[in-house]
Amino acid sequence: MTRMTPFSNPLLLGFETMEKTLDRLNKSGDGYPPYNIVRLSGEEPNERLRITLAVAGFTPEDLDVTVEDNQLIIRGRQADDEEFEYLHRGIASRQFQRAFVLADGIKVGAAELKNGLLSIDLERPAPEKRVKRITISAIDDE
């Protein structure tokens, strides 16, 4: 039996990878680290967004921000501090990876770590109106 999805509509051409991306996003259920996404106001024609992750205890050297294809990937890794004998360890030094799928045209700007918050600025340029006229060729029946 074939599974029907919103992307199986014959009028949606070329969206096969979108369905795979949505499946991958549904499987990433870990909520660490928590994050916010805000729209920055401004008078510019470009939309500006900011992703802020709560990464208390991480240094810039512990964090890695990369763009791979159409994904923004933030990784964090803290080295275990073995010089101490912990009587209680309530603050975990765990690694994480958080990925955000970016729409076409979104540009990743600066990243800043301040007071345990990692902020990454994104910009979506105003879309260009694209119209392309397709020439119709006539074939004579002979």
Side-chain angles (χ1 to χ4, degrees):
M1 184 167 159
T2 305
R3 185 179 95 170
M4 293 298 291
T5 65
F7 296 103
S8 59
N9 185 315
L11 299 177
L12 296 174
L13 302 175
F15 287 91
E16 296 82 15
T17 58
M18 183 70 72
E19 185 173 5
K20 292 177 187 173
T21 301
L22 289 174
D23 285 341
R24 189 171 62 238
L25 289 174
N26 284 335
K27 292 177 184 172
S28 64
D30 186 16
Y32 181 79
Y35 65 93
N36 291 334
I37 301 174
V38 297
R39 180 176 289 122
L40 302 174
S41 61
E43 298 296 321
E44 303 170 18
N46 298 345
E47 181 180 29
R48 293 177 39 233
L49 305 170
R50 177 172 291 150
I51 299 172
T52 304
L53 290 91
V55 291
F58 286 84
T59 66
E61 293 77 26
D62 297 332
L63 298 167
D64 185 45
V65 178
T66 58
V67 177
E68 298 175 18
D69 295 324
N70 66 333
Q71 284 193 346
L72 169 65
I73 300 175
I74 300 107
R75 293 180 180 95
R77 180 182 306 257
Q78 289 178 314
D80 282 335
D81 191 2
E82 297 181 10
E83 72 179 75
F84 298 109
E85 178 186 347
Y86 288 93
L87 301 177
H88 171 76
R89 188 164 188 169
I91 302 172
S93 60
R94 67 191 252 195
Q95 62 184 11
F96 70 87
Q97 176 174 311
R98 171 75 64 188
F100 298 91
V101 178
L102 303 175
D104 289 339
I106 289 194
K107 295 183 173 94
V108 178
E112 177 184 70
L113 181 63
K114 182 177 179 184
N115 296 328
L117 298 174
L118 175 65
S119 297
I120 302 164
D121 290 341
L122 308 172
E123 184 176 337
R124 181 191 325 233
E128 296 177 10
K129 185 175 180 180
R130 299 183 308 184
V131 176
K132 179 180 178 184
R133 184 170 202 85
I134 308 299
T135 305
I136 302 171
S137 59
I139 302 173
D140 294 330
D141 292 332
E142 291 188 35

